[in-house]
Amino acid sequence: MEAVRAEGLVKRYGDVVALDGVSFSVGRGEVFGLLGPNGAGKTTTIKILTGLTKPTAGRAWVAGFDVVEQGLEAKKRIGWISSEVILDDDLTAWENLEVQARLMGVRGWRERAAELLKAFGIYEAAGRPVGKFSTGMRKRLEVAMALLHGPEVLFMDEPTVGLDVGARLGFWEVVRQINREFGVTVLLTTHYMEEAESLCGRVAILNRGRIVALGAPDELKAKYGVDVIELEVSGPVDLARLSRFGETTAADGRVVVKVAKAEEVLADVVKAVDAVKAVRVRKASLETVFINLTGATFEGEHIDVKKLYMKIRRARR
Ligand SMILES: Nc1ncnc2c1ncn2[C@@H]1O[C@H](COP(=O)(O)OP(=O)(O)O)[C@@H](O)[C@H]1O
Ligand SMILES: [Mg+2]
């Protein structure tokens, strides 16, 4: 049986279409990533799957239970970590776990809690108030709390936002551990491409409420990956001179050329443009997959050719 299944999920907030027909499934034991820029619909998807909000249309199942019709059964099998603070700083780690155990009605929780605290390396600190914990330790405690009732699927919404680089890498290890040692299926969202590439067996790339690509990171890179040469320019650019290198788009002083191998053509591309201020090369990655499929960079800048041509015309007058 699948751990998660979403079929044609639509979510509207008034005029805003947050999800526009999202379907995917996650097998047991997978680490699956929902990847996309801000506003893509990641949180909305997680909220539907965890029963926090209902879809406008479509259906979803977790561990075989319909999240709307059989919400209680589904919730028993779900652990979830929000990006919001849920820990009580005045309480110790043990006390936070006890609160969680009572909320979830977990019997004999101490043994399970000790196992989790040890696994995530915070057992020794567990008698101290959580207010004294580092961000990385807090995150580990949140994971222990989310796993306390023995869920089959763990949902994490942007789990590494706000962590510094070291803590982020440490947390990746925790995610792998959750999956390997505790056999929990993980569905996480992230807007960090490298995080998805490093952690997830498969990813769905969301853009404006739709899945634009789904598969293993390597598969997606092989299929849609391109190298991207990005030029910052200070004047008009003759795009016709660039098109022989690959598909070229431009807007607001930025030119993007999609090429097969950046290092082979970089020098010629730069030479073909007069007013280059800066050059950036992105080797094929999930990021360039996204640029290739949506025409937007992941920071949400849209490449608008019309606007550029208008600028060029104005500049020439
Ligand atoms: N409660 C809400 N009311 C109105 N619009 C919302 C609400 N929640 C989300 N949206 C909108 O739905 C879209 C998707 O949001 P969200 O799922 O939070 O995206 P992500 O998590 O990928 O950043 C965005 O345009 C957002 O503004
Ligand atoms: Mg979000």
Side-chain angles (χ1 to χ4, degrees):
M1 200 210 317
E2 290 152 333
V4 177
R5 180 173 193 83
E7 261 178 27
L9 292 180
V10 173
K11 180 70 183 182
R12 287 192 208 100
Y13 294 104
D15 288 341
V16 177
V17 183
L19 293 182
D20 193 12
V22 165
S23 304
F24 63 92
S25 59
V26 180
R28 287 188 179 228
E30 277 196 84
V31 177
F32 187 90
L34 281 178
L35 183 58
N38 279 331
K42 304 180 298 294
T43 296
T44 304
T45 306
I46 295 258
K47 278 187 172 170
I48 291 173
L49 294 174
T50 53
L52 287 174
T53 191
K54 286 189 179 145
T56 310
R59 287 180 76 183
W61 296 261
V62 175
F65 294 96
D66 185 305
V67 297
V68 177
E69 308 287 324
Q70 302 163 294
L72 271 179
E73 288 304 315
K75 276 200 182 109
K76 280 186 202 163
R77 291 158 181 88
I78 289 173
W80 103 283
I81 297 179
S82 75
S83 44
E84 282 138 43
V85 179
I86 53 157
L87 302 176
D88 189 326
D89 278 355
D90 296 333
L91 301 183
T92 66
W94 277 113
E95 288 163 345
N96 270 284
L97 282 156
E98 183 169 5
V99 170
Q100 180 75 6
R102 285 175 196 273
L103 275 174
M104 301 299 294
V106 185
R107 298 223 185 105
W109 62 274
R110 278 175 193 280
E111 213 168 279
R112 167 92 176 158
E115 181 196 9
L116 291 162
L117 290 168
K118 282 176 190 159
F120 301 130
I122 48 174
Y123 184 75
E124 306 301 327
R128 277 190 252 148
V130 166
K132 302 222 161 70
F133 277 26
S134 71
T135 321
M137 288 163 75
R138 298 173 72 91
K139 214 72 211 175
R140 285 156 199 261
L141 178 56
E142 286 177 21
V143 170
M145 285 164 69
L147 295 182
L148 198 57
H149 63 294
E152 291 174 36
V153 186
L154 183 63
F155 292 93
M156 294 191 272
D157 195 10
E158 309 255 7
T160 62
V161 162
L163 296 188
D164 62 41
V165 177
R168 174 170 299 160
L169 294 181
F171 190 73
W172 290 1
E173 244 349 281
V174 171
V175 174
R176 294 191 186 102
Q177 221 182 337
I178 293 167
N179 183 245
R180 261 195 331 252
E181 285 174 31
F182 295 92
V184 174
T185 304
V186 176
L187 194 157
L188 61 89
T189 75
T190 181
H191 64 268
Y192 300 115
M193 299 278 184
E194 76 281 8
E195 183 159 295
E197 282 195 60
S198 162
L199 278 181
C200 302
R202 288 191 311 138
V203 297
I205 303 183
L206 272 177
N207 188 42
R208 301 176 178 202
R210 289 186 185 195
I211 292 179
V212 293
L214 195 155
D218 282 344
E219 253 170 57
L220 296 182
K221 279 188 280 182
K223 205 163 162 193
Y224 307 109
V226 286
D227 286 2
V228 170
I229 299 175
E230 220 179 295
L231 306 170
E232 213 182 296
V233 294
S234 56
V237 174
D238 184 358
L239 291 183
R241 284 170 69 189
L242 287 173
S243 59
R244 68 187 166 96
F245 298 107
E247 195 185 328
T248 303
T249 49
D252 300 329
R254 236 162 42 91
V255 179
V256 171
V257 192
K258 297 175 191 170
V259 299
K261 277 222 163 75
E263 58 276 18
E264 287 175 5
V265 294
L266 183 60
D268 293 331
V269 167
V270 172
K271 257 184 250 160
V273 180
D274 296 325
V276 176
K277 276 202 300 190
V279 179
R280 180 169 180 196
V281 173
R282 299 185 215 235
K283 289 297 289 174
S285 65
L286 283 183
E287 188 169 10
T288 74
V289 168
F290 186 81
I291 294 173
N292 195 13
L293 290 172
T294 67
T297 62
F298 214 61
E299 299 83 48
E301 300 157 276
H302 289 271
I303 297 158
D304 185 343
V305 185
K306 248 196 228 154
K307 250 194 192 162
L308 183 87
Y309 279 128
M310 268 167 56
K311 254 194 189 167
I312 295 172
R313 253 181 266 131
R314 244 183 270 132
R316 280 184 184 152
R317 258 184 233 141

